[in-house]
Amino acid sequence: MEKFKNMLEATIESGFESTTGNLLCRDSLCNGRENCSNDRRININIIAFKGCHINEIKGFCQELRNVAGKIRLNVYTEKHICYVASIDDIRRALSREHHNIIIGEDLKYGEIKLLEKYDYHTQCVKYSTVTNLRRNEKKIFNTMKNILLKLNIKAGGTNWSITFPDKEGDWRGTVFRDSVMIVGADVTHFNDGRPSIAAVVCNRSKFVFTAGSSYNFKIAVQYPEGNKRSMEYIKDMQAIMTDLLRAFYSATREKPAKIIYYRDGVSMGQFEKTVLKELEAIQDACTSLEEIYEPKISIVVCTKRHDQRFIKEDGKNPETGTVVSKNLVAPNYFNFYLFSQHVIQGTGVPCHYYVLYDDNKLGAYFWHNFTFLLCQLYARCQKAVSYPAPVYYAHLACASSRTRFEARYGHENRNYWQGDNRPQESQIEEEITPKDKKYMFYI
């Protein structure tokens, strides 16, 4: 027994590594933010499950209109409330001319979201959220505002934009003189024979400093190759980027001169295989549209799955906008840690960025500041978040698609996915992807 105890003994060192960090310009965190805007009225159809008290639902609608007025959104809720008991009832009650809010406690979220393939727009709200509002006045504004921010984006509006002083020689004027496409990508896995799901999003307009509905998306389903449990690189990247480039040109009538690609969820051991394959696919997509079309491409991998933690000398978390690019970074890559988010409690986890390919030769100053600005453009939160908005959207699109997949195919066992009768990748994509390709369903 004593020998076994000695095997478990370990020495814990209490020392810390010291390093220095830079605090980026944070003027845009407080200044230059415009309020919500939408040229059209947002018409809302209320659908409630049986058991929801009518007075609670009417109170919810009234508070929604009140808060909408305060943030300058024009919202109209139908007076008639549709009560339902099943998914079939919901489908009959849905309206294509309205944004449908579905209220209930035991919502079958995935099954409801699958109905969006029939060109419906939906927003789910738990009944307990509605009833808690009536008991806590302090939560009313924040909760309603969060719902309205989502609805406004889904309705094609803009939640806010960041404006900057016009400074001669500033990097925003030089880098964005030509059209720039900002791309975010992520892949989610099941690791049990079921296919991986990839999501790629990119800005639809030329102005990327807007927290609005200006993002296109593509969802791709891919079975693992051979005996592998999952596939990390995006197999159909060329076809995906071809579609996104066409959509960008259709909206702007310009071809992007620069493509900045943020990739989530790639470990260091997969850098070479994943990034090189996806880079080649992006280049092939460009030349397939026009043989002489060769935009400059930059690729950044971002990850929060690491063990590094930083605290200031006073024991507190680093301030929002702190970047660490010396001493504790990987020696073989241009990389940096960025504290972009507001830490509410505990020790903050910075995002680790690796600039693996930079045809644009943009430099450290650009990557630090531009990445930080993208973290301030997440449409569901007016504070800076831990990931750049395009990457966050790709992550959410993967999570939402995964929920839809499980609602549609969750009853199938493992043998089903290894058999010859498993569905084609394109068939699954059609089942889990909303019909409206400009609809930011993942918000």
Side-chain angles (χ1 to χ4, degrees), residues 336-350:
F336 58 93
Y337 294 92
L338 174 61
F339 286 88
S340 55
Q341 74 273 30
H342 290 262
V343 180
I344 299 174
Q345 63 180 7
T347 303
V349 181

Side-chain angles (χ1 to χ4, degrees), residues 303-306 308-310 322 337-341 348-353 386:
T303 179
K304 294 190 75 175
R305 294 183 179 179
H306 58 78
Q308 296 284 17
R309 300 293 183 270
F310 299 91
T322 299
Y337 294 92
L338 174 61
F339 286 88
S340 55
Q341 74 273 30
V349 181
C351 189
H352 195 180
Y353 296 91
S386 58

Side-chain angles (χ1 to χ4, degrees), residues 29 33 160 340-342 375-378 381-385:
L29 286 174
R33 285 183 180 270
W160 61 82
S340 55
Q341 74 273 30
H342 290 262
C375 293
Q376 300 171 45
L377 293 173
Y378 179 54
C381 180
Q382 285 190 301
K383 293 183 178 181
V385 294

Side-chain angles (χ1 to χ4, degrees), residues 263-276:
R263 180 66 156 86
D264 187 19
V266 180
S267 64
M268 188 178 293
Q270 297 171 318
F271 279 176
E272 184 173 348
K273 181 177 180 180
T274 298
V275 173
L276 286 179

Side-chain angles (χ1 to χ4, degrees), residues 91-105:
R91 183 172 179 182
R92 285 190 288 268
L94 290 172
S95 169
R96 290 190 176 90
E97 288 72 38
H98 295 73
H99 291 268
N100 302 276
I101 293 183
I102 300 151
I103 302 173
E105 194 55 43

Side-chain angles (χ1 to χ4, degrees), residues 179-195:
S179 293
V180 181
M181 176 186 277
I182 314 298
V183 183
D186 193 14
V187 181
T188 185
H189 310 287
F190 291 97
N191 295 325
D192 59 358
R194 289 182 288 179

